[in-house]
Amino acid sequence: MSPSKPPRLHNELYATIHPSKLKGSLDSQLVVITGASGTIGQAIAKSFAIAGAVIYLLDYVEAPLDKLKETCLKLGARQVFSARCDVTSFEDCETVVNMVKEDAGPIDVLVNNAGVAGMGLFHKKDPKAFMNTMAVNLNGPYFLMRLVLPDFLARRRGCIINMASRAGTTTGPLLIDYHTSKTALIRLTACVQAEVDLHKVEDVHLYSLHPGAVVSDMSKGAGTPPDLEVQAAFPEVLQKMAEWMPNFKTTPYVSGMTCVALATGIAKKALRGRYHDCTQDLDDIIAQANTLEQDPDLYGLSVKFLGDMPNDGGMENRPGEEPVPFPEVDE
């Protein structure tokens, strides 16, 4: 296996995902975006507008979307619709998907961007709050993927982009529900792609993304009540988090235009089903598609053991071991 080369990193738009290059690239394709009113959601919507898509904006609260709709039309969107959608409810998602198809036709691209996060101690956090994070960050994408995938398979084309997070690849305290939900979303994306591939449908492709270090309401903690107990018990952790913020320099349009580029299919050989950090140069990754194809652990969740032992789950029996009888008792 040839050694891989690290891709270049970008906090700003670069040649491969520049709006001038992708302008009109998804002409009249129908794109559904959840969490559309947030910082990253708006950037994604504007990016697909540049690509000439028909856009359906979804959010828990529909009212703030009016201005965004106007902006998208000015940027080149063919049509823009919006609706309220509670992604934690399968019935609500089903109703909205049917409405989208009635209003605008078959869906071509689904971007699951809606997400929440809230800090707190695991053993003291209200279970309802924990499960709400899981419901928004994992159940919502699952519901919508489940609803659009039959049509994608029938039409033999379609793209699903799940906005995950670097948090889904790391271990950390105080945001355990967020880490857990994003890890599950990355794995869900990969598993669904593996199942889609059983159907030999090359043009149905899925991705999970880290948007980069973007300053947003979520990253700033807006709307999350300060946990006084956490502040009192672990001030050093909160101080460290505060020190990270000056390093949040990635424009949200990097993830927005990356979504557009991926939806065109340019990286499906290299990244289909995989986790991608949007700050990494897509051209550099595409150029190493063969290396990625040979190593399923690249751009995915994996486990490391001492001595580089394989993760074979015990299927490789060790030679020379005799059966050891377990003590028996009279029952």
Side-chain angles (χ1 to χ4, degrees):
M1 186 183 301
S2 60
S4 59
K5 299 177 182 178
R8 290 166 289 178
L9 299 176
H10 305 276
N11 286 324
E12 296 291 339
L13 294 170
Y14 57 97
T16 311
I17 61 169
H18 197 276
S20 62
K21 181 172 183 178
L22 293 168
K23 185 177 178 63
S25 58
L26 297 170
D27 185 33
S28 299
Q29 290 194 35
L30 177 54
V31 180
V32 175
I33 304 166
T34 70
S37 69
T39 302
I40 293 173
Q42 291 190 47
I44 293 170
K46 293 174 186 177
S47 298
F48 277 103
I50 291 284
V54 175
I55 302 172
Y56 219 114
L57 306 170
L58 302 179
D59 206 280
Y60 188 71
V61 180
E62 185 183 0
L65 298 175
D66 289 342
K67 184 177 180 181
L68 178 59
K69 289 166 70 174
E70 293 178 12
T71 301
C72 287
L73 287 170
K74 291 177 181 177
L75 286 170
R78 296 295 178 259
Q79 288 179 286
V80 185
F81 303 84
S82 66
R84 181 187 180 278
C85 182
D86 177 3
V87 297
T88 69
S89 164
F90 180 76
E91 291 74 17
D92 207 26
C93 289
E94 187 173 35
T95 298
V96 168
V97 167
N98 289 333
M99 180 174 62
V100 169
K101 291 191 285 188
E102 289 175 7
D103 288 344
I107 297 167
D108 296 294
V109 181
L110 168 65
V111 183
N112 284 309
N113 172 67
V116 294
M119 187 175 294
L121 292 168
F122 174 77
H123 66 290
K124 294 188 176 182
K125 195 168 192 176
D126 184 344
K128 292 181 181 178
F130 188 98
M131 295 312 297
N132 182 66
T133 300
M134 299 297 292
V136 175
N137 295 356
L138 178 62
N139 295 6
Y142 158 69
F143 291 154
L144 290 166
M145 290 166 68
R146 169 64 183 81
L147 289 164
V148 304
L149 198 55
D151 284 349
F152 283 9
L153 290 173
R155 298 172 66 215
R156 303 188 67 80
R157 66 184 182 87
C159 178
I160 297 173
I161 298 172
N162 292 322
M163 197 56 63
S165 169
R166 178 178 176 271
T169 68
T170 62
T171 301
L174 306 180
L175 288 165
I176 292 175
D177 46 357
Y178 185 73
H179 281 263
T180 302
S181 63
K182 294 301 185 180
T183 300
L185 184 58
I186 294 168
R187 183 65 78 195
L188 176 66
T189 305
C191 288
V192 173
Q193 182 70 73
E195 187 168 299
V196 165
D197 289 347
L198 294 176
H199 295 270
K200 309 294 184 185
V201 183
E202 182 180 343
D203 287 330
V204 175
H205 43 121
L206 297 84
Y207 310 90
S208 57
L209 303 184
H210 169 53
V214 176
V215 175
S216 65
D217 287 344
M218 184 183 294
S219 64
K220 290 185 295 187
T224 303
D227 191 317
L228 299 180
E229 189 171 23
V230 170
Q231 292 184 38
F234 306 106
E236 70 282 0
V237 176
L238 297 181
Q239 177 62 32
K240 188 174 182 179
M241 289 181 175
E243 291 171 357
W244 289 342
M245 288 309 297
N247 295 322
F248 277 56
K249 298 177 180 179
T250 308
T251 171
Y253 296 106
V254 167
S255 56
M257 293 307 301
T258 297
C259 287
V260 173
L262 292 173
T264 68
I266 65 168
K268 63 186 177 184
K269 180 182 178 184
L271 288 173
R272 58 191 290 120
R274 299 186 191 246
Y275 165 83
H276 172 57
D277 183 330
C278 291
T279 65
Q280 296 186 15
D281 190 287
L282 266 182
D283 262 349
D284 291 350
I285 294 170
I286 293 168
Q288 301 181 78
N290 290 336
T291 301
L292 282 153
E293 193 172 18
Q294 294 167 20
D295 189 347
D297 288 340
L298 283 172
Y299 291 75
L301 301 176
S302 60
V303 174
K304 282 188 173 182
F305 293 119
L306 290 169
D308 292 326
M309 288 189 66
N311 182 19
D312 60 20
M315 290 185 290
E316 183 181 334
N317 296 319
R318 304 300 177 231
E321 288 192 323
E322 295 294 330
V324 177
F326 191 81
E328 296 184 3
V329 297
D330 294 332
E331 296 184 3

